[in-house]
Amino acid sequence: KNKRLRRAEIVCAALIALTMLIFLFSGRDGHFSELTLQNGELDAREADFSSSVYEIEGDWTFYANVLDDGSGLSGLMPETHDESIPYGTYRIVLYAQPEQYLMIGGYSLDYSTRVFVNGRAQLEIGRVGERAEDSEPRIDYMLIPVYTGADGTVELVLQYANFVHKEGGGQTALYLSTAENIGRMRRSQDLYSLVRGGALCLFAAYFLLFAAIQNERKYFYLAMICLLFGLRDQNFYVLHLL
């Protein structure tokens, strides 16, 4: 009876500690204002980037089975994105106050991404191509520098290629602000992911060891639950664990 009581105390202590960690760090990844796309255009002229991070909402203009830097898109008809399309191009036009240095942050599009700003290549994650042999899949976090120039107008083009999964190339959550604010957001998200995901993985290892010592399946199941919940955090799983 005393042994069972000690086991229950250990499990309760672990769950209480996990609950406290989630409570302390939940919401630390930030609260964001929204900027909504209208017909492929994003009006950020009234946005205050001095202290706010804005999440870009709405659908980007999409061109299926096209890889273009933006120069040849004007004569093409946009389409609705379909996850089964192996490659394509997203485009938006950003309107902001002139002479601003901004940053867009967010995960790359599965499973490879190439980014153009005003027709100039800014970054490529993996390798984007029109055939599987020309592509290389990779997922990472994007940091896209944006300078609004004299007229405050910026064209953003994101290409993707996906030949490794039946679904991919979907839009991810992208955020717009100054480089300082985006960096602060990233550090906050990293802290949240490392604490929550790391703690859950440590609990999984602890319960797995407990299951081996006690030779009871219930602790093994508890370990698997902790592990699965820990790996659900894409930031922790992709950037920190893998």
Side-chain angles (χ1 to χ4, degrees), residues 18-36:
L18 177 60
T19 303
M20 290 179 63
L21 285 171
I22 293 175
F23 174 77
L24 287 173
F25 288 94
S26 63
R28 294 295 178 91
D29 52 343
H31 298 283
F32 309 107
S33 303
E34 293 182 359
L35 287 173
T36 303

Side-chain angles (χ1 to χ4, degrees), residues 52-222:
S52 299
V53 175
Y54 291 83
E55 183 174 0
I56 300 174
E57 293 286 343
D59 294 326
W60 292 46
T61 306
F62 177 71
Y63 301 89
N65 299 318
V66 172
L67 297 180
D68 191 275
D69 62 4
S71 59
L73 296 178
S74 58
L76 301 178
M77 183 65 67
E79 300 180 30
T80 302
H81 175 70
D82 184 340
E83 292 280 344
S84 64
I85 296 172
Y87 64 92
T89 299
Y90 289 96
R91 176 183 179 269
I92 66 169
V93 177
L94 168 66
Y95 300 102
Q97 292 296 328
E99 309 294 340
Q100 284 188 306
Y101 291 92
L102 303 175
M103 182 80 73
I104 292 178
Y107 278 102
S108 58
L109 308 180
D110 298 346
Y111 279 82
S112 56
T113 309
R114 184 188 294 133
V115 180
F116 293 86
V117 179
N118 289 334
R120 299 182 61 181
Q122 287 288 344
L123 64 87
E124 185 169 11
I125 297 174
R127 189 168 65 247
V128 177
E130 296 181 356
R131 301 180 302 171
E133 53 268 31
D134 298 328
S135 301
E136 178 183 330
R138 185 182 170 196
I139 301 172
D140 207 340
Y141 197 86
M142 300 188 298
L143 292 173
I144 307 168
V146 174
Y147 174 60
T148 59
D151 62 354
T153 302
V154 181
E155 180 190 52
L156 296 164
V157 171
L158 275 67
Q159 302 173 356
Y160 81 91
N162 167 39
F163 293 94
V164 298
H165 199 273
K166 65 180 180 180
E167 296 180 352
Q171 291 174 307
T172 60
L174 295 179
Y175 303 92
L176 175 67
S177 190
T178 62
E180 293 78 10
N181 290 337
I182 293 293
R184 191 179 300 113
M185 179 194 73
R186 285 291 299 134
R187 291 191 295 272
S188 177
Q189 289 177 337
D190 284 345
L191 175 63
Y192 179 56
S193 294
L194 285 169
V195 169
R196 185 179 65 175
L200 282 165
C201 287
L202 286 174
F203 282 131
Y206 170 78
F207 288 128
L208 196 60
L209 180 62
F210 212 76
I213 294 173
Q214 298 296 331
N215 195 26
E216 293 190 25
R217 287 185 295 178
K218 59 184 178 182
Y219 296 110
F220 173 78
Y221 296 147
L222 190 54

Side-chain angles (χ1 to χ4, degrees), residues 9 60 239:
E9 289 174 348
W60 292 46
L239 296 188

